[in-house]
C-alpha cells in the first residue's frame, strides 16, 4: 500500500538546523566553512526551543540537528529532549571529534535522539582522511559507528560523492552491510569550501546514479541521495520503484535553518527567505517568493524546464545556483536530454 500523499507546499518533511558552525575538523568540502569556536550570534537555548516548537507545529516529521559539530553546544541534550517531547524524529549528525564519546551518544539516545548520522567518505583511511583533513578520522569513525550500533540507535552513514571518492563507492557499499540502516550519498555542491573542480561531470554523475539504483536493489539497508534528484529519474527509467519523498527538493519538502536563524531551502543553497528571529518558519517556507518559486516546476529554465521529469526530479537547485548563479536554471550535472525541445535562450 502506498503511503498517503504529502503536501510539500504546506510543510517540509525534514527541517535541518545548524546548531553551530564550531568544529575542529578541516573537511575540504565543508558547506559550513566551520570555525574553531562558537559564534555569539547563534540561536540560544530559548530561541532554539521556540524554533523546535515551530517545526513541530508545521507538521514536520523529522528534525536533523547538524553543524559544525552539535556536540560543541552544552545544551544539545536539552534541545534533543525538547524536540523528542514534541513528537519529532530527531536525527543527530555529530562530527567525529573527541567530543563524540560513547557517553555522549548514550546521553543523546536517552534524551530522545531517534538516529545518528556519521560521515564516512571512503573505503580506506587514505580516501576518508584525505577529504576530512584529519589523520585518524577513518578509524575513529568506525569506532563511533560501532558505538552507535551497540547502543541500539539506527545508524545512517553519509558519503560525499566527489572526484576523490567515487572510485571507493562499490567497496564502501559492501563494507556497510551489517553496519548501516541507511546510506545517504551527497553529490557535491560547490559551496562553502567545496570546489567545482572536485565535481563529477554530467556523464560521471549518470554512471554513479545508475550503479547506485541497481545496487540499492540488493542491499539490506536503505539508500537515499542528497543534491541528486536525478536519482528518481534514473530509477524510473530502469523500471524501479520511486524512492521515498519522490518529489522533494531544495525548498520542496526540505528546509534548513542556519546557526543564526536564517531560513534557507537547503544548507547548500545559501539564499535566505527570512530569519526565525523576525519571521515565522511557516511564513518563510509556505509564502516566501523564493520557496514558492523553487516548488513550481513551471518556473524552471533550460532543459530542466523542458524535461518530462521536471516534477519528480527538477534538478539540483543548489548545484544550479552554485554553477550558474540562478537557482531556477538547468542543473549542469545532469546528462539527460529531455524528449521535449529545449527553448532557445531569450
Amino acid at each position: 500500500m502506498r503511503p498517503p500523499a504529502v503536501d510539500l507546499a504546506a510543510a517540509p518533511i525534514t527541517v535541518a538546523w545548524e546548531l553551530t558552525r564550531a568544529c575542529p575538523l578541516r573537511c575540504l568540502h565543508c558547506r559550513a566553512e566551520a570555525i574553531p569556536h562558537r559564534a555569539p550570534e547563534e540561536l540560544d537555548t530559548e530561541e532554539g526551543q521556540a524554533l523546535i516548537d515551530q517545526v513541530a507545529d508545521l507538521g514536520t516529521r523529522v528534525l536533523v540537528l547538524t553543524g559544525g559539530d552539535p556536540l560543541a553546544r552544552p545544551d544539545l541534550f536539552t534541545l534533543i529532549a525538547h524536540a523528542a517531547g514534541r513528537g519529532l524524529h530527531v536525527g543527530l549528525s555529530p562530527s567525529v571529534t573527541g567530543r563524540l564519546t560513547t557517553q555522549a551518544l548514550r546521553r543523546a539516545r536517552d534524551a530522545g535522539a531517534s538516529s545518528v548520522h556519521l560521515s564516512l567518505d571512503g573505503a580506506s583511511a587514505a580516501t576518508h582522511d584525505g577529504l576530512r583533513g584529519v589523520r585518524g578520522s577513518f578509524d575513529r569513525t568506525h569506532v563511533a559507528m560501532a558505538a552507535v550500533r551497540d547502543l541500539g540507535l539506527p545508524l545512517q552513514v553519509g558519503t560525499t560523492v566527489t572526484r576523490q571518492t567515487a572510485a571507493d563507492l562499490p567497496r564502501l557499499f559492501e563494507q556497510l552491510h551489517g553496519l548501516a540502516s541507511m546510506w545517504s550519498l551527497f553529490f557535491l555542491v560547490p559551496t562553502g569550501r567545496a570546489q567545482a573542480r572536485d565535481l563529477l561531470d554530467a556523464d560521471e554523475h549518470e554512471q554513479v546514479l545508475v550503479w547506485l539504483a541497481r545496487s540499492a536493489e540488493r542491499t539490506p539497508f536503505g539508500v537515499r541521495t542528497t543534491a541528486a534528484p536525478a536519482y528518481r529519474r534514473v530509477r524510473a527509467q530502469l523500471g524501479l520503484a520511486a524512492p521515498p519523498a519522490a518529489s522533494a527538493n531544495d525548498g520542496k519538502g526540505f528546509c534548513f535553518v542556519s546557526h543564526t536563524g536564517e531560513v534557507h531551502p537547503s544548507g547548500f543553497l545559501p539564499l535566505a527567505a527570512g530569519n526565525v528571529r523576525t519571521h515565522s518558519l511557516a511564513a518563510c517556507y509556505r509564502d516566501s517568493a523564493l520557496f514558492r518559486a523553487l516548488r513550481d516546476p513551471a518556473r524552471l529554465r533550460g532543459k530542466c524546464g523542458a524535461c518530462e521529469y521536471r516534477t519528480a526530479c527538477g534538478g539540483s537547485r543548489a548545484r544550479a545556483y552554485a554553477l550558474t548563479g540562478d537557482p531556477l536554471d538547468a542543473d549542469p550535472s545532469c546528462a539527460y536530454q529531455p524528449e521535449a525541445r529545449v527553448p532557445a535562450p531569450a
Side-chain angles (χ1 to χ4, degrees), residues 198-246:
D198 296 324
L199 279 172
L200 301 180
D201 65 28
D203 288 336
E204 290 166 334
H205 269 100
E206 190 79 1
Q207 291 166 14
V208 172
L209 289 172
V210 170
W211 168 82
L212 182 64
R214 289 175 172 154
S215 299
E217 296 302 292
R218 60 177 184 87
T219 175
F221 50 80
V223 172
R224 67 164 59 116
T225 59
T226 298
Y231 182 57
R232 302 164 200 144
R233 186 256 307 159
V234 167
R235 289 188 64 87
Q237 289 179 298
L238 293 174
L240 303 174

Side-chain angles (χ1 to χ4, degrees), residues 19-24 34-39 42 67-70 72 95 99:
L19 274 70
T20 181
R21 286 196 170 177
C23 180
I35 54 180
H37 305 289
R38 294 176 59 196
E42 289 175 3
D69 182 16
S95 298
R99 299 187 186 100

